[in-house]
Amino acid sequence: MPDCIFCKIANKEMPAEIIFEDEQVLVFKDVKPVAPVHLLLIPKKHYTSLLDLGEADAGLAGSLQATAVRIARDFGFAEQGFRVVCNCGRDGGQLVAHVHYHLLAGRALKWPPG
Ligand code: 5GP
Ligand code: ZN
């Protein structure tokens, strides 16, 4: 999608600190981290929000979740705990219109979020 910053990162047209990628999924560091570990997991293909990930994309959604768990184990914070968040739409606080999951860890995270 032209003008989508996460598509540009996925296509390597814009720099990011990439920590994992496979055919479908890219993981990179959030540019403004709010926790000691703050990663963004995106599908390489453009989906504007979670609303666009339908039944047909169940495999992709599963891959994103499995990737979060693999990273939690590889980085060594799986036992301590972590949070996976997907903000959707205006009231959900979604600022970037390319579906992404935040993976947060490294401190005790508050609940409920603001
Ligand atoms: P949202 O509010 O849409 O769920 O979160 C978007 C996230 O993307 C924010 O945490 C923000 O810091 C991050 N972000 C925005 N632009 C960039 C960028 O150009 N590079 C990286 N690595 N992260 C970005
Ligand atoms: Zn995009």
Side-chain angles (χ1 to χ4, degrees), residues 49-71:
S49 82
L50 199 55
L51 292 170
D52 295 331
L53 274 188
E55 297 277 345
D57 306 300
L60 174 59
S63 288
L64 285 161
Q65 180 168 316
T67 300
V69 169
R70 184 171 343 126
I71 288 168

Side-chain angles (χ1 to χ4, degrees), residues 45-114:
K45 184 179 165 196
H46 183 89
Y47 295 83
T48 298
S49 82
L50 199 55
L51 292 170
D52 295 331
L53 274 188
E55 297 277 345
D57 306 300
L60 174 59
S63 288
L64 285 161
Q65 180 168 316
T67 300
V69 169
R70 184 171 343 126
I71 288 168
R73 292 217 169 93
D74 288 353
F75 274 57
F77 57 76
E79 300 309 319
Q80 245 172 281
F82 58 94
R83 186 173 292 165
V84 178
V85 180
C86 181
N87 298 325
C88 184
R90 185 196 59 199
D91 282 0
Q94 182 180 4
L95 296 176
V96 176
H98 180 129
V99 78
H100 53 279
Y101 291 84
H102 298 256
L103 176 53
L104 301 156
R107 67 171 171 82
L109 298 161
K110 291 187 172 56
W111 190 263

Side-chain angles (χ1 to χ4, degrees), residues 1-8 42-48 96-99:
M1 182 74 95
D3 294 333
C4 169
I5 54 173
F6 287 0
C7 279
K8 286 184 179 155
I42 66 166
K44 288 184 172 176
K45 184 179 165 196
H46 183 89
Y47 295 83
T48 298
V96 176
H98 180 129
V99 78

Side-chain angles (χ1 to χ4, degrees), residues 10-12 20-27 42-46 60 63-64 67 70:
N11 295 329
K12 315 286 166 58
F20 173 84
E21 77 177 295
D22 62 18
E23 239 172 66
Q24 288 189 297
V25 174
L26 186 74
V27 184
I42 66 166
K44 288 184 172 176
K45 184 179 165 196
H46 183 89
L60 174 59
S63 288
L64 285 161
T67 300
R70 184 171 343 126

